[in-house]
Amino acid sequence: VQLQASGGGLVQPGGSLRLSCAAPRSIFSIKAMGWYRQAPGKQRELVASITRDGVRNYADSVQGRFTISRYNADNTVYLQMNTVKPADTAVYYCNADLCHDPWSCTDYWGQGTQVTVSS
């Protein structure tokens, strides 16, 4: 099972970027989905998460600037990043709790996509 993340790149401070991550359509169901990031020399941290019912949670550092959304029909989660700052530079990883049947769910990670905020 793979999570396919895309959308990273170089963006200027104050600009916008949208990340997307897709889980296989063959999955029985998906619980929470989210985005984490890891900057050089730092630990991986939660950026935002969203439950299947749409309940969202954000890190304080991105509240009001980033928006997480998901499209359950396509098993896809998005991260809209607005008003980005150099401090947002990191490798961004998507994460999802995938259920192969009603009784077993496993946590999966995407391969990571680099986001660089620089002028």
Side-chain angles (χ1 to χ4, degrees), residues 36-90:
Y36 288 72
R37 67 185 180 188
Q38 187 167 18
K42 294 188 177 182
Q43 290 188 333
R44 190 174 297 189
E45 63 176 359
L46 174 68
V47 176
S49 65
I50 183 169
T51 67
R52 183 169 181 83
D53 295 330
V55 177
R56 296 170 172 83
N57 180 46
Y58 295 96
D60 289 344
S61 59
V62 307
Q63 183 76 44
R65 299 187 298 119
F66 292 7
T67 301
I68 189 169
S69 60
R70 65 187 282 175
Y71 187 46
N72 290 331
D74 278 351
N75 291 347
T76 303
V77 62
Y78 302 95
L79 185 69
Q80 178 66 41
M81 306 167 62
N82 296 331
T83 320
V84 296
K85 305 174 182 179
D88 295 321
T89 296

Side-chain angles (χ1 to χ4, degrees), residues 7-28:
L10 175 65
V11 59
Q12 292 187 342
S16 297
L17 205 62
R18 189 172 90 147
L19 307 182
S20 63
C21 177
R25 295 197 182 190
S26 59
I27 289 296
F28 176 77

